[in-house]
Amino acid sequence: MSEPIRNKKLDLSTAPTPQNTPANNAPISSHAQQPGVASIKEEDLDRAAAASIFAQNPKLVSMIQGKLGTLVGRSSGYVESLPAPVRRRVAGLKGVQKEHAKLEGEFQEEVLQLEKKYFAKYTPLYEKRAKIVNGAAEPTEDEVSAGEQDEGGEDDGGRKAENAEGGQAAEDMAGIPEFWLSAMKNQVSLAELITDRDETALKHLTDIRMEYLEKPGFRLIFEFAENEYFPNKTISKTYFYQEESGYGGEFIYDHAEGDKIDWKTGKDLTVRVESKKQRNKNTKQTRVVKKTVPTESFFNFFDPPKAPEADEDDAASDVEERLELDYQLGEDIKEKLIPRAIDWFTGEALQFEEVDEDLEEGDFEDEDDEEDDDASEDRDDEEESDEEDDSSKPKQEAAECKQS
């Protein structure tokens, strides 16, 4: 329904069109000569030298891309060179296309209204799920029977035997412990963000909800039970779309805003404390200096990246990639995790995930151990660095479902 952020870099592989060809007065006939440039012998170009120059001068590459970018969308003069009757017909086709674009916009708006209509029907089911997960209600016999049919069936005797084995511990267990944490760890894009430290806080997650905005956009709401990390009962993140629709009538993502987390003292999971021993070169005395630095955490999700300013061309590419990733994470939660949370909890949803066939085993290689190089440099400067917490590295694999 929505259109992701467009990469603003110029695509140099675009095929020639009337909008990017030289301004030649081409006659309207099948024998019209296509505009072209003089042939250039490839042997006259030293490609290796050119590649080396560009590699050593990233600013030059950026400048060239900027110059080429200013040419995008500019008329080559081809259309203007056509006879007046032909130009009139071209203008008429543009008018017809505007009517088509108007209908596309109406179509996308009706699709959004249809989504909202059925979301209202889904909401009671989500509320029932939350009650069962948190132990406020039990599923009915009909619901249990319907679920067991998907598992191949199980008679009452089997369930009674399992209950007997569980004993008093099973009776005292309310709801489904760590339901949302387990579901998130099975959703690959989210699992990559969750660190060991995050898990201790995400265990208190009681529900994840979504709601539509009055204008195009949606809000994700994470509900938490009382915990040692923050007093927030809910933490939300809102995704906004642009007022103008895209080329095909789609809604275009604009930006996201997240709630501020009121971290309790010493419990901020988005930072870590580094301790450094510094030695005075003259007196040889040492001292310990502690500083707080940002670290990887799922809770950075609520502090989305900001769009680059006009004068930040060098960092624009990196920020755009982060913006696209941030938007895709929101879509995954909205379109995958929330509607089918039980399938992610059990892991059944993984079999329906699309695998990128372009990625082969040979495409992966071990990362260089940059930490060893950094440690060597620190020793040369007579500074020793220790990290107090090594548990902030994100897990790369989805965890298995935890079931009693």
Side-chain angles (χ1 to χ4, degrees):
M1 184 194 75
S2 57
E3 184 175 293
I5 300 174
R6 302 179 185 276
N7 194 332
K8 298 180 180 178
K9 287 185 177 180
L10 177 64
D11 185 0
L12 298 179
S13 62
T14 303
T17 68
Q19 292 301 314
N20 60 25
T21 53
N24 292 342
N25 292 326
I28 307 301
S29 73
S30 60
H31 302 289
Q33 183 178 1
Q34 293 183 347
V37 296
S39 60
I40 302 175
K41 295 182 180 180
E42 292 185 358
E43 55 267 29
D44 294 337
L45 298 176
D46 189 343
R47 296 186 177 183
S52 176
I53 293 174
F54 288 134
Q56 297 175 9
N57 296 273
K59 291 186 177 181
L60 175 62
V61 176
S62 178
M63 182 188 70
I64 294 175
Q65 289 177 336
K67 293 292 184 182
L68 293 176
T70 61
L71 301 177
V72 177
R74 295 179 64 177
S75 174
S76 65
Y78 173 77
V79 174
E80 290 79 357
S81 69
L82 297 174
V86 178
R87 292 202 306 271
R88 183 176 182 278
R89 295 174 194 130
V90 170
L93 289 181
K94 287 184 177 181
V96 173
Q97 187 62 40
K98 286 186 176 181
E99 291 296 321
H100 188 279
K102 182 179 179 182
L103 292 175
E104 286 179 322
E106 293 176 0
F107 169 75
Q108 293 296 340
E109 183 62 34
E110 289 193 22
V111 169
L112 176 59
Q113 297 305 320
L114 187 62
E115 286 186 0
K116 291 183 177 181
K117 173 184 176 181
Y118 275 86
F119 179 75
K121 295 183 178 182
Y122 297 149
T123 300
L125 302 180
Y126 297 153
E127 293 174 349
K128 180 181 293 186
R129 177 179 66 191
K131 291 180 180 179
I132 295 174
V133 167
N134 296 303
E138 293 292 333
T140 65
E141 287 298 324
D142 290 341
E143 291 167 344
V144 173
S145 298
E148 288 177 347
Q149 289 178 3
D150 292 339
E151 299 175 357
E154 181 181 6
D155 57 19
D156 291 341
R159 273 189 282 139
K160 290 179 180 178
E162 289 184 359
N163 291 337
E165 293 176 2
Q168 188 62 34
E171 291 294 331
D172 295 339
M173 185 179 296
I176 305 178
E178 302 179 15
F179 175 84
W180 285 103
L181 172 59
S182 299
M184 292 171 66
K185 289 168 67 178
N186 279 332
Q187 217 289 318
V188 180
S189 60
L190 294 175
E192 293 178 346
L193 303 180
I194 300 174
T195 68
D196 291 337
R197 296 199 308 163
D198 291 334
E199 290 189 22
T200 58
L202 292 174
K203 288 179 181 179
H204 300 282
L205 188 57
T206 60
D207 197 16
I208 301 178
R209 298 185 288 108
M210 191 275 291
E211 63 183 21
Y212 286 100
L213 307 181
E214 292 185 5
K215 58 183 181 180
F218 61 92
R219 179 177 293 109
L220 301 174
I221 304 170
F222 293 71
E223 295 187 1
F224 289 86
E226 185 176 351
N227 60 83
E228 61 181 298
Y229 293 93
F230 42 76
N232 305 66
K233 297 300 182 183
T234 62
I235 306 175
S236 66
K237 184 174 182 179
T238 306
Y239 288 83
F240 298 92
Y241 293 99
Q242 297 179 11
E243 294 184 3
E244 296 183 359
S245 58
Y247 180 75
E250 303 93 344
F251 297 113
I252 302 177
Y253 168 61
D254 186 67
H255 73 284
E257 298 176 1
D259 284 348
K260 182 179 181 299
I261 302 176
D262 299 322
W263 294 103
K264 295 181 180 179
T265 304
K267 296 296 183 178
D268 190 343
L269 298 175
T270 63
V271 298
R272 72 174 187 272
V273 178
E274 284 187 351
S275 298
K276 283 191 175 183
K277 291 182 180 180
Q278 296 181 340
R279 181 178 301 165
N280 189 295
K281 294 181 179 180
N282 297 324
T283 64
K284 302 303 181 182
Q285 292 182 339
T286 61
R287 66 175 182 176
V288 177
V289 178
K290 294 184 178 182
K291 65 176 181 178
T292 301
V293 296
T295 189
E296 294 177 333
S297 170
F298 167 78
F299 290 94
N300 289 324
F301 174 73
F302 298 100
D303 185 19
K306 303 295 187 296
E309 300 294 336
D311 56 349
E312 298 178 351
D313 293 338
D314 295 340
S317 177
D318 178 63
V319 174
E320 284 181 4
E321 290 181 1
R322 291 170 56 203
L323 286 168
E324 290 182 6
L325 175 60
D326 180 73
Y327 172 74
Q328 188 58 52
L329 287 172
E331 280 287 312
D332 286 346
I333 295 173
K334 171 178 174 281
E335 300 291 344
K336 296 180 179 181
L337 183 64
I338 293 177
R340 299 175 178 84
I342 183 58
D343 293 335
W344 290 106
F345 175 80
T346 62
E348 295 175 29
L350 290 171
Q351 62 183 309
F352 302 106
E353 281 289 274
E354 295 182 0
V355 179
D356 191 347
E357 298 179 355
D358 294 335
L359 296 179
E360 298 179 356
E361 188 66 25
D363 295 333
F364 296 91
E365 59 183 9
D366 294 336
E367 296 181 355
D368 295 334
D369 191 358
E370 298 178 355
E371 295 181 359
D372 292 344
D373 297 337
D374 295 339
S376 177
E377 293 177 1
D378 290 343
R379 284 194 295 271
D380 294 339
D381 296 335
E382 295 185 355
E383 291 185 7
E384 300 175 357
S385 177
D386 296 318
E387 293 184 5
E388 287 189 348
D389 198 337
D390 294 330
S391 63
S392 61
K393 295 182 179 180
K395 292 186 174 179
Q396 299 300 322
E397 298 182 356
E400 295 183 357
C401 161
K402 299 181 180 180
Q403 292 177 302
S404 56

